[in-house]
Amino acid sequence: RPPGLWQRLRTALWRNRLMGPLRNAVGRRHAKWMGGLLEAFERGDIEEALRRAIPLGGEASGANLAPPFGAPTPRTGRLEPSMFPTMSSGGGLGVGVGLYEHLRQLYRRSAEQLEAQGRIAQAAFVLADLLNAVDEAVALLERHGELALAAKIAEGRGLPPERVVRQWFLAGDAERALVIARRHGAFAAAIAALAEDHP
């Protein structure tokens, strides 16, 4: 979605040369946050790293928008995939291409480690919420028998209708699957998606 009026005003103000001291202060705060994130990964504290991790669903640089003035705050509660797309109230932390790719690789390795340890919900969180790889998160949950959760995420996060129908059939809720198939006219595509592995 294009930036709203408030975001455009913030960006124009941010680019003003009189804002140099504030830009420097905000930059130091964000750099400190990013340093803490990378240190948590380096010492193998995946739990802490994921609580500090920034999503990589956007571009590799946030130069066109003003960043949030405050530092991010660690996540609290259980690390599980969001049922619906999350909305950001402001700009993101801009990162260069090199750091973006490094974070992407760290997140990928974390998802693999978590899956190997049987921490499936957390692995799905990394895929869906941090890497914006929702289809992979749903496939991961399906592989490990979390069929109802996979179907809820597929529907809530807007995967193609035939995929959502397939997931609800696999979860044993044919009624919900048929409602979605009717709503989107997805019968033929859903049959094709189910044909290989569902009787």
Side-chain angles (χ1 to χ4, degrees), residues 32-47:
K32 182 178 179 182
W33 177 269
M34 195 65 68
L37 167 60
L38 295 174
E39 286 172 9
F41 274 119
E42 287 173 7
R43 66 175 181 267
D45 189 348
I46 295 180
E47 181 85 13

Side-chain angles (χ1 to χ4, degrees), residues 50-130:
L50 296 184
R51 293 195 180 282
R52 299 178 64 96
I54 59 172
L56 298 180
E59 297 296 329
S61 173
N64 293 328
L65 296 175
F69 291 151
T73 55
R75 293 174 180 83
T76 58
R78 300 176 66 179
L79 297 172
E80 296 179 340
S82 304
M83 295 293 166
F84 302 97
T86 55
M87 298 292 290
S88 174
S89 59
L93 296 188
V95 297
V97 175
L99 179 55
Y100 184 95
E101 181 60 25
H102 182 57
L103 287 173
R104 193 184 67 79
Q105 292 175 4
L106 288 172
Y107 294 172
R108 283 273 171 201
R109 284 199 295 269
S110 298
E112 291 168 3
Q113 291 174 13
L114 290 165
E115 182 180 9
Q117 295 168 4
R119 297 160 69 182
I120 306 308
Q122 289 184 338
F125 161 77
V126 174
L127 292 172
D129 288 40
L130 299 182

Side-chain angles (χ1 to χ4, degrees), residues 182-196:
R182 288 190 194 102
R183 181 184 303 154
H184 297 280
F187 288 100
I191 289 170
L194 284 159
E196 290 185 8

